Amino acid sequence: MSNQQEPLEDQLHSFHQSLSAVLASSPVDNTASQLMERSNTQDADVDHVDVEEYGISTGTVFRNPPVAVLYEQALKNEAGSSITSTGALVVRSGAKTGRSPKDKRIVDEPSTNEDVWWGPVNIKLSEHSFLVNRERAIDYLNTQNTLYVFDGFAGWDPDYRIKIRVITSRAYHCLFMNNMLIRPTKEELLHFGEPDYVIYNAGCFPANRFTEGMTSATSVALHFGRREMVILGTQYAGEMKKGVLTIMMYLMLKLDVLPMHASANEDPRTGKVSVFFGLSGTGKTTLSADPRRSLIGDDEHVWTDRGVFNVEGGCYAKCIDLSHESEPEIFDAVRFGAVVENAVFSEHDRVIDYHDISITENTRTAYPLEYIPNCKIPAVAGHPEHVIMLTCDAFGVLPPVSKLSSAQAMYHFISGYTAKVAGTEVGITEPQAVFSSCFGEPFLVWHPAQYAQKLAERLATYNADAWLINTGWVSGSYGQGRRCPLKYTRAIIDAIHDGALAEDKVEYEEQEIFGLRIPKEVPGVPRELLNPINAWADTQAYKTTARKLAALFIDNFKKYQDKADAEVVACNPSLD
């Protein structure tokens, strides 16, 4: 390792030591796990690990087994597992087909108590209740004849990556994390040593609802002091993925770098990077999967003093209505090694029906990053030139593209706005605003303003431009207007990347109420669509709807403005 990297390593090591303080003083043995003696075959891929230090003693433990072995185990032991026509493994996650954010808990302990943004996102759990749940998980794992351990990394930059160990009773979970974490080489696995965090996935077994702090039979609990996560009462594998993201959202900001729930891609000719923030349905995955650009990652990244790196070793994509015509890269990634959750397929030919949502609308597939033809490995790149915030505004008020000042970028980053439309959920008859701070509120640990401040610092230091892109409705709200055609949104993204929207190349005008700066011209996009007030047939109806949405923004921001700078609060829409 070069001398240039050593200060960062020392910083990370020091931080891990501080996090370990509580754990070191606990009765849990903290010594590094030892690999079981390998067989005489040097190339043996199926290995075992000693899990007795965690209080687990069971018959067979697979450590980082090959994909084929996990297929065999799932098909043999896990009901609902089948091989599809393309070779992917389709599985069932039980009653839970999505995350359970209301059952997520953070342990209130001394080393992190003053850092955590406590409230409905980060609900406190006592040390005692965590240990009760941990013991319950260990007891369940001890009843199993076979367990699966996956050791992998979170973070492609070796100076910031952390070592994750997953212990689970399901082969499906092991294969999922094999795809989502960064897979170690044989040499790295041999010298893996003690993990930084351990995930005990006993999701097949419920939590005790009478344990203090439990509100259901599901519990997803994270203890930063012990560096442990315990899962009970849900077999949905996404809890592990987002648990790792939550860990990174805490640790990386602690190290003065910016963790991001965002996708990123790179121009392979110039090395220029763009980052895409956006909630579900905004087009984040579609727009970042540009065949002319290299995909760095589709969901989780960190922006350091050297550039950006992907946290993950794979992708986790929604499958609803997936087709080769709409998203060929993702469609072709559903092959041997990929996991497809809760999908319906033909019993005759094993072809998946991506339009069938009889099990859930949240059908998903997890596959290694290298299954995407134009991915970049190692998934590390330079500093972003553009930060693009995506929203699907069903009110039709926000412009298809606007350029943000630093303060506006912080404001819209903290707000994290998109909208639900009528028909998506029972009882929704008109557009409903959805706000998720930093475009990933369920995974935040610190107050949103602290992530926003770090983003503003990064934008200023590396001279990056920030943009707000509305992939939602134009010429009217949902029901009157139409969704912005994808070809126009792609033309906007191309114009940003080509420099066609630079200040010296195009004139801007300011939108009323929201104060957004709108380019008067974008190649390939009708001019009348760029400013919503010009696109609506009924100007008065536009102003009424704009004021309605503005009031929702203002009301939402009240819960953040106590820790936001005055300049950011001033970016609230104006109703004067």
Side-chain angles (χ1 to χ4, degrees), residues 96-299:
K96 299 280 187 175
T97 58
R99 290 184 299 102
S100 301
K102 293 183 179 179
D103 296 308
K104 169 194 164 189
R105 300 289 185 272
I106 303 289
V107 175
D108 183 11
E109 51 86 28
S111 71
T112 56
N113 174 272
E114 295 183 4
D115 297 337
V116 179
W117 179 41
W118 298 111
V121 173
N122 297 303
I123 302 171
K124 291 184 179 181
L125 184 70
S126 70
E127 177 100 12
H128 175 76
S129 291
F130 177 85
L131 292 176
V132 169
N133 282 359
R134 182 185 185 278
E135 189 76 5
R136 192 170 176 87
I138 296 297
D139 286 347
Y140 170 75
L141 294 173
N142 273 323
T143 67
Q144 303 304 294
N145 294 325
T146 303
L147 294 178
Y148 307 90
V149 173
F150 187 79
D151 288 338
F153 301 113
W156 279 89
D157 186 328
D159 288 317
Y160 290 96
R161 74 181 186 185
I162 62 173
K163 296 181 291 184
I164 304 290
R165 171 164 291 165
V166 178
I167 305 174
T168 180
S169 62
R170 290 200 63 177
Y172 142 51
H173 291 155
C174 189
L175 180 57
F176 179 92
M177 293 306 277
N178 172 81
N179 291 348
M180 297 313 303
L181 290 174
I182 298 164
R183 294 161 291 285
T185 64
K186 289 182 181 179
E187 187 67 19
E188 289 171 333
L189 192 57
L190 182 64
H191 300 288
F192 194 79
E194 181 186 6
D196 296 311
Y197 277 80
V198 178
I199 299 174
Y200 302 95
N201 191 335
C204 299
F205 195 64
N208 186 331
R209 290 175 296 167
F210 293 99
T211 300
E212 183 183 3
M214 298 297 101
T215 53
S216 77
T218 297
S219 174
V220 180
L222 179 57
H223 193 313
F224 283 110
R226 294 180 63 94
R227 297 176 292 168
E228 293 179 329
M229 179 179 177
V230 173
I231 299 173
L232 291 167
T234 173
Q235 298 175 55
Y236 181 67
E239 296 287 10
M240 294 181 289
K241 166 189 159 62
K242 294 306 188 184
V244 173
L245 173 60
T246 303
I247 292 168
M248 294 296 280
M249 293 296 279
Y250 176 71
L251 296 182
M252 295 300 103
L253 200 61
K254 186 85 170 180
L255 290 177
D256 203 30
V257 295
L258 177 64
M260 304 178 292
H261 185 219
S263 61
N265 64 22
E266 176 190 67
D267 186 330
R269 301 163 300 168
T270 64
K272 292 181 178 179
V273 175
S274 289
V275 167
F276 297 80
F277 290 97
L279 300 174
S280 179
T282 60
K284 180 180 69 170
T285 300
T286 300
L287 293 171
S288 60
D290 187 332
R292 294 166 299 178
R293 296 172 68 87
S294 300
L295 180 69
I296 302 167
D298 76 331
D299 197 49

